[in-house]
Amino acid sequence: MTTLCPECGTQNPEGTPYCIECGADLAQAAAQPAGPGEPSSSPSPEVSMTSSSEPLRPAAELNGAANARIASPATYLQLERAVLVHLATGERFEVPVTQSSVVIGKPNDEVNVDIDLSHLAGADIVSRIHALVREEEGDFYLEDAGSSNGTFLNGEALKPGARFRRKLQPGDTLALGKNEKIAFRFEITE
């Protein structure tokens, strides 16, 4: 079951207090009945994904030469990469640059987690959908996704939701839960 965000239309896992895309307060939206033409927070029907026995083909082959003309300004190797370095172990978690929003948390049936922290000591304080790192025009931002134990940037608690996101700078310390039980240093590498 999901809750549809009235602000941006994103489907959010049931029980998520804030939209994982725009940060809108979903509890407030669920309490207000939807007007005509407005999205409601009622569950959407299940979508069935079926696999085909047809082999996958390159996009250029499917879409003709139009796709072949599309060029990116830089190759993957030329792009800066964001990394979260776990302070206790030195383990490095790369923030995928191919996504505009990266979910940090623990595996669950509702949302795919991009950075899985379930194996770390102290992971009991990490929510299933704890925090998000967003990339916008080459800058990275941290936001709390309505976690139970909070998200902290350089010791300062973040309020949940997109409107309270904070820009990340190399060397920043981000912590999940109080007392920096699970803490990372944000780095940019080339």
Side-chain angles (χ1 to χ4, degrees):
M1 305 216 31
T2 60
T3 302
L4 191 63
C5 175
E7 298 291 323
C8 70
T10 297
Q11 291 188 18
N12 294 275
E14 184 177 355
T16 303
Y18 299 94
C19 176
I20 60 173
E21 186 60 34
C22 72
D25 185 348
L26 297 176
Q28 181 181 5
Q32 298 174 353
E38 292 180 21
S40 73
S41 60
S42 62
S44 61
E46 292 294 320
V47 176
S48 170
M49 299 295 285
T50 59
S51 63
S52 168
S53 60
E54 183 179 320
L56 295 175
R57 298 184 306 187
E61 184 180 318
L62 293 173
N63 297 326
N67 251 1
R69 290 192 304 260
I70 299 173
S72 63
T75 66
Y76 180 74
L77 295 175
Q78 294 170 318
L79 295 174
E80 291 182 333
R81 291 190 266 174
V83 178
L84 300 177
V85 180
H86 185 237
L87 295 181
T89 65
E91 185 175 353
R92 299 170 70 81
F93 297 87
E94 188 169 330
V95 178
V97 294
T98 57
Q99 300 171 214
S100 61
S101 181
V102 175
V103 178
I104 300 171
K106 296 189 288 194
N108 62 83
D109 294 333
E110 303 288 329
V111 173
N112 290 333
V113 175
D114 301 301
I115 297 179
D116 176 5
L117 304 179
S118 61
H119 67 283
L120 296 176
D124 55 317
I125 58 101
V126 176
S127 297
R128 291 177 301 152
I129 305 168
H130 196 105
L132 301 171
V133 174
R134 295 186 186 268
E135 186 274 330
E136 294 177 2
E137 298 180 9
D139 291 323
F140 293 88
Y141 297 85
L142 175 67
E143 69 183 72
D144 182 82
S147 65
S148 300
N149 293 305
T151 302
F152 299 80
L153 180 59
N154 297 323
E156 184 180 331
L158 300 180
K159 293 181 182 177
R163 66 191 82 159
F164 300 110
R165 73 177 60 145
R166 299 274 308 277
K167 186 175 180 182
L168 289 167
Q169 301 292 333
D172 280 350
T173 300
L174 58 110
L176 308 180
K178 296 178 181 135
N179 302 323
E180 296 189 2
K181 193 171 182 181
I182 300 230
F184 302 90
R185 182 178 59 254
F186 178 74
E187 293 181 357
I188 299 288
T189 62
E190 290 188 39

